[in-house]
Amino acid sequence: MPSPLSADRPAARPPGSAPVDTLISQTRRLKGEVDAVRRDTPADAGDPRERWRRALYDLAMHQLDDLDEHLAQLREDPPPAPGASAEELPAPPAPPRASLLSRVGSAEWDLLTDEVSWSGELYRILGRDPAAPPLTLDELPSLVLDEDRPRLTEMVTGCLVDGRPIDGEFRVMHAADDIRTVHMMGEPVLGADGSTVSMWAVLRDVSELRRCRRAVSETRDSLHRHRHAAARSEHRLAVELQEAVLPAWHGSLRFPRRGPRALDVAAAQLPPTAQASVGGDWYEALELSADATLLGVGELTGHGVTAASGVAMLLGAVRGMALSGAAPGPLLDCLDRLLGTTAQPALAGAVCLRYRHDTRTAVWARAGHPAPLLYRGRTGRALEAPQGAPLGAAPGSGHGQAEETLEVGDLLLLHTDGLVPGHTGAAAVHRLLALAPRFAGGRSAQTCVQEVVREFGAGERAEHACVLVARIAS
């Protein structure tokens, strides 16, 4: 009788096969749905993500094919009784090359009589001539690659001596240097006295399954490498863009460069503790004329190239409007309208301050941002803030202005959220104002920035932050 583990063929249905038929119908319906989705997946060999998706679809289809075949075997006749001669078992046709698990073979080794019985399919799995006698447990390792023989010997010894179930893999060499991977599961059969009298095993060819899983793993790894490379490129581009648009100066600057009344300015950007994408924080100090200087800080929502390009757009607009003479309030109104026209809506906070050297007055406006802090002597306070919603949050709401008269020796501190790790709002302002005694004594703007960095730069910070200090030097 032909092996039921060979190709499908018409046969009488055993009793109780209806549940299996239902499972077969469900499996084939699912195969059709998966195959339809797979056909719609672009076969783009140049896209790592599409290669990975295609490999997963192929693996799923192969596994469904095998499930269909095994369910079909389940409803067929049982396998032949052990001991059937090779002449009674014609060689079954080769399984489809696309099959992941191929056919299942079985074997039993009787330790009392030395009889060995193999199913017909096992000959094909192990690459043996069906006319040849089955191999004993001592002869079986001769089919296995040298490096896998210790593993097979250990599995068989553990089963026969210690009664452990067998569950492992080894490789065999077929003709034409075709190496196949075989999965073996088995258990000992114990006699009345508890000793092992025989061992049975079920073996299957899992070569295609391993190949498909390797393909999935390789395409997944390729996709990860591609994503990491893209992320590194994007981060590098965002850093370069940020460095290109933020002020290039380091240390203190004097505004104006000549004249009796000077403003001493310094700034710093504090990075997050862990590596993170470039954020949308920015600062600006721009000499508008011999009598006026623009100071500003802000932050745009988002990260990476999108945030860096948005900052470039905002800073370009700020510089252009400030140089044209726009006051801080109208300037923020224009930025609000500008954000409303972008393809990707975003929110931004900002504070802009226009300082007049001849009168030592500062006119400023804010858009949902912390107010500047004023330090005089050994004390400090936040400037009384005018109204001003974040940019992009309430278009057309307008941004009010406030004016403050300053004295020689006064110090202004502008900052973005996140400067004080673990504190926001009033708590952060309180921590910053506590630095007033350390700012006193005519210290330079750069020295004051260094004090801020020393105080808050070592804490756990999730986002970038900026600080700008301006001291009325004369």
Side-chain angles (χ1 to χ4, degrees), residues 318-394:
V318 166
R319 290 162 180 165
M321 288 185 288
L323 286 170
S324 70
L331 187 152
L332 291 180
D333 291 342
C334 291
L335 290 183
D336 197 21
R337 292 195 297 271
L338 177 62
L339 274 184
T341 65
T342 58
Q344 295 182 333
L347 295 177
V351 58
C352 289
L353 183 148
R354 189 183 186 99
Y355 177 72
R356 288 192 58 85
H357 297 270
D358 55 349
T359 61
R360 296 195 186 98
T361 56
V363 177
W364 67 283
R366 71 183 186 103
H369 201 80
L373 305 181
L374 171 61
Y375 297 84
R376 180 173 292 167
R378 299 179 64 83
T379 62
R381 63 180 175 89
L383 299 185
E384 187 174 347
Q387 67 173 7
L391 304 176

Side-chain angles (χ1 to χ4, degrees), residues 391-440:
L391 304 176
S397 60
H399 297 81
Q401 293 187 158
E403 183 173 334
E404 188 78 22
T405 300
L406 304 175
E407 301 175 0
V408 175
D410 283 354
L411 187 141
L412 289 171
L413 187 148
L414 286 65
H415 67 96
T416 59
D417 285 333
L419 177 61
V420 182
H423 297 78
T424 58
V429 170
H430 178 75
R431 294 286 302 277
L432 287 167
L433 292 178
L435 296 176
R438 293 155 67 176
F439 290 165

Side-chain angles (χ1 to χ4, degrees), residues 242-250 253 267 282-285 315 319:
Q242 183 187 62
E243 291 175 348
V245 298
L246 289 181
W249 43 268
H250 298 282
L253 284 183
W282 57 270
Y283 61 88
E284 177 63 300
L315 272 179
R319 290 162 180 165

